[in-house]
Amino acid sequence: GISEEDIAKRLMDYGYHAPTMSWPVPGTMMIEPTESESKSELDRFCDAMILIKKEIDKVVKVLQKGGVVIYPTDTVYGLGCDITKTRGLERIAKIKGVKLEKANFSFICNDLSHLSDYVQQIDTATFKVLKRALPGPYTFILPGNNNLPKVFKKKKTVGIRIPDNEIIRAIVNSLGNPIVSTSIHDEDDIIEYTTDPELIFEKWQHKVDVVIDGGFGDNVASTIIDFSDGEAEVVREGKGS
């Protein structure tokens, strides 16, 4: 689920230009430095790659312990935890001021391979819509199946989200299962969503375990489309609409 473009973007955060990459063997990646690179620069590059992996591992460990994180998406910043950890789900419900059994959390997935794990079989036309739109700024409400985690067993539907954001998708891929997703709202009467990660950290650092800085976020949430009855119904117009 992680492409060469995903890694290139993250390396650019460390001050590198998008490196030359290729896929000489399926499932592997080759990064080829130029002859002008010094050993110290190559060492710095290797250190960046190691740090990127450690960043992901750190967040995954927090999620596996039932921790709560704030993360960037292709729309607004989200609040989430491992879908299998009741402790984390209860914390998020408390933060949002809702009862867990009544909460409407979406699932952040790495790709469509998780779809059959939690969603009933959908028709070809619906699948084509999802495949065309995702990754992207959309949440699709689909009929849930009997494999939903215990706290969601009474739910008839589930919201599926695959953001076009390499950071959160790399984390979900490493975790091995989806995380729940809910937007973090601002108390400001004018600005609904905080976009500055530093301001998000100042406000939320004592409520969550990790705030992931993915740069400035958007202030428009995802478009929500309900396919639970087989026909598309736009529930909320947002980014991408």
Side-chain angles (χ1 to χ4, degrees):
I2 303 174
S3 70
E4 68 274 18
E5 183 182 0
D6 295 334
I7 297 176
K9 286 179 180 178
R10 193 67 187 95
L11 286 170
M12 288 171 72
D13 292 337
Y14 282 86
Y16 288 96
H17 295 291
T20 301
M21 298 187 180
S22 64
W23 303 91
V25 178
T28 69
M29 180 179 66
M30 178 177 70
I31 302 174
E32 195 171 45
T34 65
E35 296 84 352
S36 61
E37 304 292 350
S38 65
K39 182 179 182 301
S40 61
E41 184 63 14
L42 291 175
D43 287 341
R44 189 172 78 86
F45 176 82
C46 291
D47 289 341
M49 292 293 287
I50 292 170
L51 285 172
I52 291 170
K53 181 62 168 63
K54 285 183 176 179
E55 289 172 356
I56 294 172
D57 291 344
K58 177 183 176 182
V59 176
V60 168
K61 287 180 180 178
V62 169
L63 291 168
Q64 289 173 336
K65 293 179 180 179
V68 174
V69 303
I70 289 177
Y71 52 87
T73 71
D74 52 354
T75 58
V76 300
Y77 270 79
L79 176 70
C81 70
D82 187 327
I83 63 169
T84 67
K85 304 299 180 184
T86 303
R87 175 174 169 268
L89 293 168
E90 290 173 341
R91 285 179 62 190
I92 292 179
K94 184 176 180 180
I95 289 172
K96 298 289 288 187
V98 297
K99 292 183 177 180
L100 180 55
E101 60 271 18
K102 295 184 178 180
N104 291 317
F105 298 145
S106 298
F107 289 7
I108 293 276
C109 301
N110 175 50
D111 53 38
L112 289 172
S113 64
H114 283 295
L115 204 61
S116 60
D117 293 340
Y118 308 105
V119 173
Q120 293 180 26
Q121 185 172 354
I122 56 177
D123 58 48
T124 302
T126 301
F127 183 78
K128 285 183 177 180
V129 171
L130 269 62
K131 192 173 182 179
R132 188 166 56 248
L134 301 172
Y138 302 95
T139 301
F140 289 97
I141 300 176
L142 301 168
N145 63 22
N146 294 328
N147 295 325
L148 288 172
K150 184 178 179 180
V151 296
F152 300 109
K153 285 293 185 183
K154 294 182 180 180
K155 295 285 186 181
K156 294 182 179 179
T157 61
V158 59
I160 297 294
R161 180 100 158 81
I162 305 177
D164 187 12
N165 180 281
E166 68 276 5
I167 296 174
I168 189 57
R169 287 189 5 247
I171 290 168
V172 171
N173 182 61
S174 185
L175 179 64
N177 57 255
I179 65 172
V180 299
S181 175
T182 181
S183 302
I184 56 171
H185 290 266
D186 199 288
E187 297 173 354
D188 193 289
D189 292 333
I190 300 175
I191 301 174
E192 188 174 3
Y193 302 102
T194 301
T195 61
D196 187 338
E198 291 188 6
L199 295 178
I200 292 172
F201 176 76
E202 289 178 8
K203 178 179 178 180
W204 292 86
Q205 60 179 311
H206 301 300
K207 297 180 180 180
V208 302
D209 300 293
V210 176
V211 176
I212 303 169
D213 185 346
F216 277 81
D218 208 325
N219 59 0
V220 180
S222 66
T223 292
I224 300 177
I225 304 174
D226 189 345
F227 269 104
S228 60
D229 291 328
E231 298 293 330
E233 178 186 353
V234 177
V235 177
R236 179 181 72 192
E237 291 189 2
K239 188 175 180 180
S241 61

